Amino acid sequence: MNKPFCRGPNIVIGNDFIRLKETDTKLTYGELRSVSIRNARVHRAGLLFILAGVAALVLILWLFLYAIIGLGNDTANPASHAIFYRKHGISLVLFLFIGGPVFIVSKTRKYFKKYPMLVIRWGSRDFRIKIADLDKNADELRMFFDGKKTH
């Protein structure tokens, strides 16, 4: 039996195949669409959370602009009501308008960092694993996959 090129906790990379342990999938290099090494997020679902955070950020900034316009206006819109003329109301509104975006950006950076990853794509699926979890470095993996034939 041939010794595999790389054996990690979730993947075995051999000369003729790649075996994903968690789904028990064995793929030949002809079945793969691409194999790349790049900075990426661990899960693609994190992108949805980032987009939701950006939408919340836009909403908060729109409300902030609405409140600023209402303070300088004498019309009967909700932003010109008494809550904005009291000290406690202004403090709360400024905390939400300034603290909200800071909170969203800090959580996005903390939980959805990019790492050097080995990204394997086949069909409409992909598999991502941190290079730090493997026993090889990025240059060795890149040289190994340059010699393999993928679609």
Side-chain angles (χ1 to χ4, degrees), residues 6-25:
C6 179
R7 184 182 298 269
N10 297 328
I11 191 170
V12 175
I13 301 172
N15 289 329
D16 301 333
F17 66 92
I18 294 178
R19 189 171 137 249
L20 308 175
K21 290 181 182 178
E22 58 188 40
T23 59
D24 198 28
T25 306

Side-chain angles (χ1 to χ4, degrees), residues 14-87:
N15 289 329
D16 301 333
F17 66 92
I18 294 178
R19 189 171 137 249
L20 308 175
K21 290 181 182 178
E22 58 188 40
T23 59
D24 198 28
T25 306
K26 189 173 184 179
L27 302 166
T28 62
Y29 290 107
E31 296 173 348
L32 300 178
R33 210 169 67 194
S34 71
V35 177
S36 61
I37 297 170
R38 59 190 174 124
N39 284 340
R41 291 178 176 81
V42 177
H43 300 290
R44 293 176 73 185
L47 187 61
L48 294 175
F49 291 113
I50 291 171
L51 292 175
V54 168
L57 181 69
V58 168
L59 178 68
I60 288 171
L61 292 175
W62 178 78
L63 288 173
F64 184 60
L65 180 65
Y66 186 67
I68 295 294
I69 290 171
L71 285 175
N73 219 350
D74 287 338
T75 61
N77 64 10
S80 64
H81 287 280
I83 190 170
F84 294 105
Y85 295 121
R86 296 186 195 123
K87 287 182 183 178

